[in-house]
């Protein structure tokens, strides 16, 4: 182990990784395909050849912008805190996306509602959050109080790794500070006119607390495109996923088809058509992105084979 000590990736930069271990905190040049939270075995002679260990969990999304690819967000998490504020930032569709990411990675998501001290009716936000999934606990608190250390304690035990995900200005860095018991991470106030936050955290950072818990603070995500996330979406909308099996046709689109159990539930006022639309949007998005990326992988594989064949012929 002295020759290949285990290190944990705490940051990812354009020019490599920052990783920490016992008495080691070092920069590793690009080489290992790793993300924040990954464990690697350090190759002391050639750090760029360090080995990434098998992950127990991985959160990923389609890379933002027009790039066709996957962005790795975090690895080896135990709990994901999906953070939203009790103000205009609150968005059920966005929360569903984050929860689907967590479910796909076989993680335990927890919705954390912040700024309850600045809200006249936090119970309404709590009720709407609880309605998303009966599998997801909801915690409402004031991030600047002592509440985070007590309310989140059951998920932040020694040896655990937790992450705060959400948009800018919802209090992710404030919550991290609260768990750490200090104010080492800079925070900023939101704009009062529209409740939008400023990007205080510019990259993902993994912090090791004195309690033995590791906490990942993340920048706000402007774009969260799902891909290869079918089971995660199905778990968020478990009732709809079950209902669709009762449709007359296996390929029912739940729009105008006869014998559609989903549309029948809408007609009986048992299903909110707005929620149905959100489900259909996520399913279609995931199918499209998954197919597009699969096609890209096939083309890349074919191109790589062509290059190798050309190089082989050239050597002959």
């Amino acid at each position: 182990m002295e020759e290949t000590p285990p290190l944990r990736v705490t940051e990812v930069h354009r020019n490599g990784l920052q990783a920490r271990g016992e008495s080691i905190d070092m920069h590793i040049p690009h080489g290992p395909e790793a993300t924040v939270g990954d464990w690697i075995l350090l190759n002391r002679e050639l750090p760029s050849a360090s080995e990434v260990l098998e992950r127990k969990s991985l959160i990923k999304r389609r890379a933002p912008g027009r790039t066709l690819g996957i962005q790795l967000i975090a690895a080896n998490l135990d709990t994901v805190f999906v953070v939203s504020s009790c103000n205009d930032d609150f968005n059920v569709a966005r929360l569903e996306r984050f929860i689907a990411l967590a479910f796909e990675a076989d993680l335990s998501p927890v919705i954390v509602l912040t700024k309850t001290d600045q809200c006249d009716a936090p119970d309404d936000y709590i009720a709407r959050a609880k309605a998303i999934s009966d599998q997801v606990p909801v915690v409402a608190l004031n991030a600047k109080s002592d509440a985070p250390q007590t309310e989140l304690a059951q998920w932040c035990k020694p040896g655990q790794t937790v992450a705060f995900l959400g948009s800018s200005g919802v209090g992710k860095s404030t919550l991290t500070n609260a768990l750490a018991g200090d104010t080492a991470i800079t925070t900023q106030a939101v704009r009062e006119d529209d409740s939008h936050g400023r990007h205080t955290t510019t990259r993902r950072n993994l912090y090791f607390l004195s309690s033995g818990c590791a906490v990942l603070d993340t920048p706000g995500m402007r774009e969260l495109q799902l891909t290869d996330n079918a089971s995660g979406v199905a778990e968020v909308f478990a009732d709809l996923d079950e209902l669709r099996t009762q449709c007359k046709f296996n390929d029912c689109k739940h729009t105008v088809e006869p014998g559609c159990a989903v549309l029948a539930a809408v007609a009986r006022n048992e299903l909110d058509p707005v929620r149905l639309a959100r489900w259909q949007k996520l399913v279609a998005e995931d199918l499209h992105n998954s197919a597009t990326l699969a096609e890209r992988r096939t083309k890349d594989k074919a191109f790589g084979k062509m290059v190798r064949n050309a190089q082989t012929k050239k050597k002959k």
Side-chain angles (χ1 to χ4, degrees):
M1 293 297 289
E2 291 183 1
E3 294 299 321
T4 57
L7 304 180
R8 195 154 194 203
V9 178
T10 57
E11 296 178 47
V12 176
H13 305 279
R14 290 185 178 182
N15 61 347
L17 313 169
Q18 192 68 28
R20 286 181 57 183
E22 187 174 355
S23 302
I24 300 176
D25 189 351
M26 65 178 292
H27 174 81
I28 297 177
H30 275 306
E33 188 178 354
T35 187
V36 177
D38 266 323
W39 285 95
I40 63 176
L41 291 180
L42 175 64
N43 184 324
R44 291 185 183 274
E45 294 185 0
L46 186 61
S48 61
S50 297
E51 178 186 357
V52 179
L53 298 180
E54 182 178 355
R55 299 163 175 137
K56 69 177 182 180
S57 65
L58 176 65
I59 291 183
K60 61 184 180 179
R61 65 171 173 174
R62 174 173 171 169
R66 297 182 179 181
T67 303
L68 284 179
I70 295 293
Q71 181 188 31
L72 306 183
I73 298 174
N76 299 315
L77 302 176
D78 296 291
T79 301
V80 171
F81 294 122
V82 182
V83 188
S84 181
S85 303
C86 293
N87 54 27
D88 290 343
D89 170 81
F90 185 90
N91 185 297
V92 170
R94 187 190 305 130
L95 290 173
E96 289 169 342
R97 285 174 179 269
F98 280 114
I99 292 169
L101 279 181
F103 278 152
E104 186 69 31
D106 291 326
L107 294 171
S108 301
V110 178
I111 296 176
V112 179
L113 300 179
T114 61
K115 306 184 190 259
T116 55
D117 56 310
Q118 303 174 26
C119 175
D120 295 331
D123 289 346
D124 175 61
Y125 292 100
I126 295 171
R128 291 160 64 190
K130 287 183 175 179
I132 293 175
S133 173
D134 57 9
Q135 302 180 61
V136 183
V138 176
V139 177
L141 47 72
N142 173 5
K144 295 182 178 180
S145 69
D146 296 330
Q149 289 187 329
T150 56
E151 297 295 326
L152 306 182
Q154 61 178 300
W155 299 285
C156 301
K157 297 177 180 178
Q160 296 290 293
T161 301
V162 302
F164 291 113
L165 301 180
S167 56
S168 299
V170 295
K172 300 186 298 296
S173 295
T174 302
L175 287 165
T176 303
N177 279 331
L179 292 180
D182 60 33
T183 56
I185 304 172
T186 304
T187 61
Q188 295 187 51
V190 300
R191 298 196 301 260
E192 293 184 2
D193 56 343
D194 59 6
S195 298
H196 286 182
R198 301 174 177 85
H199 285 278
T200 300
T201 301
T202 57
R203 64 171 62 95
R204 285 158 286 147
N205 293 276
L206 187 66
Y207 299 94
F208 300 100
L209 308 186
S210 59
S211 64
C213 177
V215 181
L216 174 63
D217 184 26
T218 64
M221 296 184 188
R222 294 189 181 93
E223 184 179 341
L224 186 59
Q225 288 274 320
L226 301 185
T227 185
D228 297 330
N229 217 288
S231 63
V233 174
E235 199 164 351
V236 174
F237 296 90
D239 55 332
L240 289 175
D241 194 58
E242 170 63 25
L243 197 58
R244 71 176 180 80
T245 63
Q246 302 172 29
C247 292
K248 182 177 180 180
F249 302 105
N250 292 333
D251 60 347
C252 183
K253 303 300 182 184
H254 321 297
T255 53
V256 295
E257 295 84 355
C260 175
V262 175
L263 294 180
V266 173
R268 296 192 300 268
N269 293 320
E270 296 175 359
L271 173 61
D272 183 356
V274 176
R275 185 165 180 268
L276 169 60
R278 294 198 306 268
W279 174 58
Q280 291 173 318
K281 180 179 180 179
L282 285 185
V283 169
E285 176 185 303
D286 183 69
L287 284 172
H288 172 74
N289 286 341
S290 300
T292 301
L293 289 170
E295 182 180 355
R296 167 67 183 274
R297 295 187 192 104
T298 300
K299 288 182 178 179
D300 288 347
K301 186 176 181 180
F303 179 74
K305 184 177 181 180
M306 181 183 69
V307 171
R308 289 192 296 273
N309 289 339
Q311 291 174 336
T312 301
K313 290 180 180 179
K314 186 177 180 179
K315 291 179 180 179
K316 291 180 179 180

